[in-house]
Amino acid sequence: MHLAPYSTAYAPAAELNTEGLADFLRGFFGPLFLVTVSVVALFFLFTKEVTRFVQFLVIAIIVGVIFYVPNIIEALARAIASALGVV
């Protein structure tokens, strides 16, 4: 069986639509992130490790802000690039 060069078997794939991907990932990983943070925080509280609890809470807040505030990653990248003199 001979296929023509532009037959449907060799047709290029449709463009990948990534619109809404960030929202989907935030909706999927958001609750998982919150549950994990809650379990680890409760573990530190029940073992009476207050210093580690506070350290973990600060890190969790920083990670949450980086991933859930819109456009913060782009703003941080621009700020770092301008501070280093790249831009």
Side-chain angles (χ1 to χ4, degrees), residues 14-85:
E15 281 191 38
L16 184 62
N17 185 6
T18 59
E19 186 175 332
L21 179 63
D23 292 331
F24 170 75
L25 291 175
R26 284 183 183 124
F28 182 75
F29 287 111
L32 186 64
F33 175 74
L34 291 176
V35 167
T36 305
V37 167
S38 301
V39 168
V40 173
L42 286 175
F43 172 77
F44 285 140
L45 281 178
F46 285 135
T47 57
K48 298 181 182 177
E49 296 183 37
V50 177
T51 305
R52 284 195 172 203
F53 170 73
V54 172
Q55 291 171 347
F56 178 75
L57 196 61
V58 168
I59 292 171
I61 290 172
I62 290 170
V63 169
V65 165
I66 287 173
F67 284 107
Y68 293 107
V69 172
N71 300 327
I72 191 127
I73 294 174
E74 292 88 355
L76 283 173
R78 282 191 206 104
I80 292 171
S82 66
L84 294 175

